């Protein structure tokens, strides 16, 4: 019997597809509706395995479209929302900030308004869960303490500014309208199904094809890396046990300077591809730095550990190796993503049924 109808936005993206896999399989009693616009970052092929499951539905739609979102909520009367849909790549936000404002801010407000409209008067057992990023806290110096939930927001890219705006609005709906919300801010995710514009899949693909590895600046920036399935389990835990109105920081306690991480990747790739030691590292090319490039992100995840008992379960060496293997074994996936063929899947599988 279905006990809850949950809207997951952005479920065809990197993290969303892992979350949908987890929820559809783990909770047959939940009906999961995946709403996704299928931008360049949305790939329904990531969800092939669960496509036919009775507790899963996909709806193609744009959260920027207020009337559509209102109608969707009226029709489906969702009990809960897990909101991941976003424009997510910093470099794209530098090239074209507008889309980030429309999707990340206006789209989030459209969802908040629609949830409020159907939940008004009965907020019990309802939840609007907003998935966000550690980038809203800004940039740390090497000696600074990691970000806490209480760290003041200081976003410095159009991407992080748009996510910060959406976080503030979600919290404002809690305080002003009593909308039951929870927010999490997570560090850099890595793993299968990530669009190859982000550092790791891009570099794996480039090494495989013996193309240059464009390292921004001197490669001295530091990121905290978390295996994507661990992020999905954190979302699961916060969704079920998080306190309303609260924020949870999620991280891997796993900081890497870019250049060290890239050198490690090169070593693994040499081994996996049977290339001479040092061959992949020769592809490293230092290029012009990203504008406003945040120096360091680091997360203090003690709140989620102490209050909810969540910890990353996958050790970095294992997750990293698993990730490299996945991209090497899924050559066809990479090819379809880089040629654009994946974008035909919706039409072929859904429209021609
Ligand atoms: P992604 O870019 O891989 O996926 C985003 C998904 O949202 C895509 O499927 C896309 O089609 C969809 N989408 C975009 N605009 C839409 C719109 N207007 N209407 C409906 N759907 C739309 O992103 P991701 O890396 O999976 O990130 C998911 C969420 O997690 C984002 O909110 C991001 O800010 C947050 N986050 C990401 C990371 C990370 O390392 N990737 C870390 C922390 C938080
Ligand atoms: P990215 O994967 O874009 O994530 P974010 O900017 O959200 O942290 O980049 C991770 C780090 O790698 C970041 O410091 C920028 C750097 N980077 C490069 O040096 N070269 C690249 O081609 C890319 C995409 C990123």
């Amino acid at each position: 019997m279905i006990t809850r109808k949950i809207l997951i936005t952005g479920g065809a993206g990197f993290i969303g597809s892992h979350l949908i896999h987890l929820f559809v399989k783990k909770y047959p009693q939940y009906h999961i509706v995946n709403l996704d616009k299928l931008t360049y970052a949305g790939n329904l092929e990531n969800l092939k395995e669960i496509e036919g499951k009775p507790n899963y539905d996909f709806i193609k739609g744009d959260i920027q479209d207020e009337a559509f979102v209102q109608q969707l909520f009226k029709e489906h009367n969702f009990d809960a929302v897990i909101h991941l849909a976003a424009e997510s790549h910093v470099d794209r936000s530098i090239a074209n900030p507008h889309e980030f404002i429309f999707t990340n801010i206006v789209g989030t407000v459209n969802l908040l308004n629609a949830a409020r409209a159907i939940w008004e008067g009965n907020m019990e057992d309802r939840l609007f869960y907003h998935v966000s990023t550690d980038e809203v806290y800004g940039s740390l110096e090497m000696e600074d303490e990691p970000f806490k939930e209480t760290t003041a927001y200081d976003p410095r890219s159009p991407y992080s500014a748009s996510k910060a705006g959406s976080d503030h609005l979600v919290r404002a709906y809690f305080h002003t309208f009593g909308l039951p919300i929870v927010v999490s801010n997570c560090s850099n995710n890595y793993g299968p199904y990530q669009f190859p514009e982000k550092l790791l899949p891009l570099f794996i693909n480039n090494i495989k094809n013996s193309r240059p590895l464009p390292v921004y600046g001197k490669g001295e920036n530091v990121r905290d890396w978390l295996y994507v399935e661990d992020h999905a389990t954190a979302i699961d835990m916060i969704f079920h046990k998080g306190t309303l109105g609260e924020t949870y920081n999620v991280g891997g306690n796993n900081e890497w300077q870019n250049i060290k991480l890239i050198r490690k990747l090169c070593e693994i790739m040499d081994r996996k591809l049977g290339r001479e030691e040092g061959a992949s590292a020769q592809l490293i090319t230092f290029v012009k730095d990203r504008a406003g490039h945040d120096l360091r992100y680091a997360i203090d995840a003690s709140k989620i550990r102490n209050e909810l008992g969540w910890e990353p379960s996958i050790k970095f060496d294992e997750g990293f190796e698993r990730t490299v293997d996945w991209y090497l074994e899924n050559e066809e996936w990479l090819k379809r993503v880089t040629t654009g063929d994946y974008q035909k899947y919706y039409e072929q599988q859904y429209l021609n049924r």
Side-chain angles (χ1 to χ4, degrees):
M1 204 196 46
I2 295 296
T3 56
R4 285 175 108 175
K5 193 164 189 182
I6 304 171
L7 175 70
I8 297 185
T9 70
F14 168 47
I15 301 168
S17 55
H18 285 275
L19 186 70
I20 293 217
H21 274 275
L22 177 71
F23 267 56
V24 168
K25 290 178 201 155
K26 185 171 172 187
Y27 301 110
Q29 71 275 32
Y30 294 167
H31 183 178
I32 305 298
V33 177
N34 173 13
L35 168 65
D36 199 296
K37 182 180 180 177
L38 300 183
T39 68
Y40 79 93
N43 184 350
L44 282 179
E45 295 185 8
N46 300 352
L47 295 164
K48 259 185 195 164
E49 205 189 309
I50 49 119
E51 214 163 62
K53 298 262 189 231
N55 64 333
Y56 170 74
D57 278 314
F58 171 70
I59 294 172
K60 185 173 191 279
D62 188 344
I63 60 168
Q64 293 180 26
D65 183 341
E66 186 183 3
F68 161 76
V69 172
Q70 288 278 349
Q71 185 55 32
L72 185 79
F73 274 67
K74 269 195 212 129
E75 249 169 57
H76 291 266
N77 200 16
F78 301 114
D79 299 292
V81 178
I82 310 180
H83 175 36
L84 295 99
E87 286 293 333
S88 70
H89 190 42
V90 174
D91 292 327
R92 285 183 191 252
S93 83
I94 294 167
N96 177 21
H98 261 97
E99 201 56 17
F100 286 69
I101 307 310
F102 294 140
T103 285
N104 298 3
I105 301 184
V106 178
T108 300
V109 174
N110 287 340
L111 292 166
L112 288 166
N113 283 337
R116 194 184 154 215
I118 61 162
W119 296 345
E120 194 87 86
N122 179 18
M123 303 275 190
E124 212 171 312
D125 292 331
R126 306 285 185 261
L127 182 64
F128 190 105
Y129 181 165
H130 180 61
V131 176
S132 192
T133 167
D134 62 355
E135 306 195 22
V136 297
Y137 296 117
S139 179
L140 293 168
E141 294 301 323
M142 294 304 170
E143 64 280 7
D144 288 345
E145 292 294 315
F147 303 129
K148 285 180 177 300
E149 288 79 359
T150 48
T151 302
Y153 273 31
D154 184 21
R156 295 151 47 105
S157 75
Y159 165 62
S160 54
S162 67
K163 289 296 291 188
S166 65
D167 294 9
H168 287 318
L169 283 156
V170 172
R171 293 192 189 104
Y173 272 62
F174 172 73
H175 292 292
T176 310
F177 304 117
L179 197 80
I181 66 103
V182 72
V183 178
S184 60
N185 296 84
C186 186
S187 60
N188 286 60
N189 285 209
Y190 70 97
Y193 300 131
Q194 190 169 30
F195 195 81
E197 63 181 354
K198 302 275 168 72
L199 181 73
L200 285 174
L202 175 73
F203 278 29
I204 293 170
N205 197 30
N206 282 11
I207 293 173
K208 209 178 81 192
N209 295 298
S210 299
R211 285 199 292 258
L213 306 176
V215 178
Y216 298 161
K218 295 186 187 130
E220 61 195 358
N221 308 68
V222 174
R223 297 291 182 264
D224 171 65
W225 293 93
L226 178 70
Y227 192 65
V228 62
E229 287 179 9
D230 274 327
H231 188 189
T233 62
I235 294 174
D236 181 8
M237 202 166 272
I238 294 166
F239 180 80
H240 288 99
K241 294 200 214 151
T243 303
L244 293 185
E246 290 291 310
T247 294
Y248 297 88
N249 279 356
V250 182
N253 199 13
N254 177 39
E255 287 180 55
W256 283 84
Q257 194 179 44
N258 287 346
I259 192 65
K260 288 201 178 132
L261 184 72
I262 292 160
R263 289 197 189 283
K264 179 183 170 76
L265 175 67
C266 288
E267 281 169 28
I268 295 180
M269 292 293 283
D270 283 346
R271 175 159 52 79
K272 302 255 180 212
L273 296 172
R275 290 184 185 165
E276 204 180 303
E277 216 176 289
S280 299
Q282 282 178 11
L283 298 168
I284 291 174
T285 311
F286 292 95
V287 299
K288 190 168 173 280
D289 208 355
R290 172 187 279 170
H293 197 171
D294 288 339
L295 179 63
R296 175 175 164 240
Y297 305 138
I299 283 273
D300 178 341
S302 53
K303 178 174 171 179
I304 184 171
R305 186 179 61 240
N306 296 339
E307 291 185 13
L308 305 184
W310 176 89
E311 268 188 322
S313 69
I314 293 147
K315 293 215 166 51
F316 186 59
D317 277 345
E318 186 196 334
F320 203 59
E321 190 107 0
R322 233 198 249 185
T323 301
V324 171
D325 285 342
W326 189 85
Y327 287 97
L328 292 180
E329 282 160 17
N330 289 275
E331 206 167 327
E332 188 59 20
W333 183 91
L334 256 183
K335 211 175 354 153
R336 288 178 65 76
V337 170
T338 44
T339 56
D341 280 351
Y342 71 107
Q343 288 180 312
K344 297 178 194 149
Y345 185 82
Y346 172 69
E347 206 171 300
Q348 286 160 357
Q349 294 299 316
Y350 282 81
L351 298 186
N352 299 335
R353 266 178 185 174

